[in-house]
Amino acid sequence: MEQGAFTADGCPVEVYRLLPPGDEPGVVHAAIPDGAPILELGCGVGRVTHALLDLGHQVVAVDESPEMLAYVRADKVCSKIEELRLGRVFDAVLLGSHLVNTASVVDREAFLSTARAHVTPGGRVLVEWHPPEWFESVREAQGGRLGEVDVRLERVVRDGDLLSAVVRYSVAGGSWSQPFTCRRLDSEALNAALTRAGLVFERWCTDDRTWFSATSA
């Protein structure tokens, strides 16, 4: 049974509260100087935010969902990423949750442009994405366990560069579903999107190439 609050894009808030931070905080921490201030775009309930605080970073956390932000223990701003105008810059800007793979070209360019506008000269934009090979490997019923939450993919549909599916979350007798659509980007498309935002690819941050850093052009 689905219950609790959902964000505008269908994220079940109660489930996101239960998801562990995983490896993401360590990836971010290793890619930037100790104590570097971070702007986190699309922070959700603070799953990664709180771990970054524990690692000694100052974090300004941004999300458009008041329901998500209610659980964040950091400086926070309720705003859509594309509308954010803080008038300050950060040593690191974090764009996680595969947001760069949004199906919308307009949204992708807006997300990257916001990141570029808020990073210091010489600072890093850290991006999590689905590399092209991920799109080839996705299968029905694929998933696993994240903390106490069982995660499975259902109704996988491919349409050119687009992949749509439903994520099924199950925990403690409850079940939630979240549909999504994402776009496959090859290296040429990714670099073109970065260039249009005034960014340039720097390096891969993980061996599986799911995280990379970019700097201002």
Side-chain angles (χ1 to χ4, degrees), residues 27-184:
V27 170
V28 173
H29 181 65
I32 59 178
D34 287 350
I38 298 172
L39 175 65
E40 184 183 1
L41 303 175
C43 66
V45 296
R47 181 178 62 87
V48 174
T49 314
H50 300 144
L52 290 172
L53 291 172
D54 291 341
L55 288 168
H57 296 279
Q58 296 178 345
V59 183
V60 173
V62 177
D63 204 279
E64 67 175 296
S65 168
E67 293 84 4
M68 289 282 201
L69 283 176
Y71 297 99
V72 175
R73 303 185 304 275
D75 291 340
K76 50 193 175 184
V77 179
C78 188
S79 172
K80 292 184 176 181
I81 294 173
E82 61 271 26
E83 296 176 358
L84 187 69
R85 303 290 186 274
L86 292 182
R88 57 177 292 200
V89 291
F90 299 77
D91 291 343
V93 178
L94 175 58
L95 184 67
S97 302
H98 314 102
L99 290 172
V100 75
N101 288 104
T102 176
S104 168
V105 174
V106 173
D107 286 347
R108 175 166 41 260
E109 294 189 358
F111 295 163
L112 290 172
S113 293
T114 294
R116 169 64 182 85
H118 290 87
V119 70
T120 59
R124 288 191 172 99
V125 176
L126 301 174
V127 183
E128 181 184 26
W129 79 319
H130 289 305
E133 53 269 25
W134 178 85
F135 287 81
E136 311 305 322
S137 67
V138 171
R139 296 291 182 270
E140 196 84 16
Q142 184 176 333
R145 196 162 186 86
L146 298 176
E148 55 189 293
V149 183
D150 185 73
V151 183
R152 300 291 167 184
L153 286 181
E154 302 175 349
R155 290 179 269 169
V156 176
V157 177
R158 292 177 172 84
D159 181 9
D161 286 335
L162 295 177
L163 184 146
S164 299
V166 175
V167 185
R168 174 69 63 178
Y169 301 100
S170 301
V171 59
S175 180
W176 296 259
S177 60
Q178 179 183 353
F180 71 92
T181 298
C182 56
R183 186 178 297 276
R184 181 186 185 276

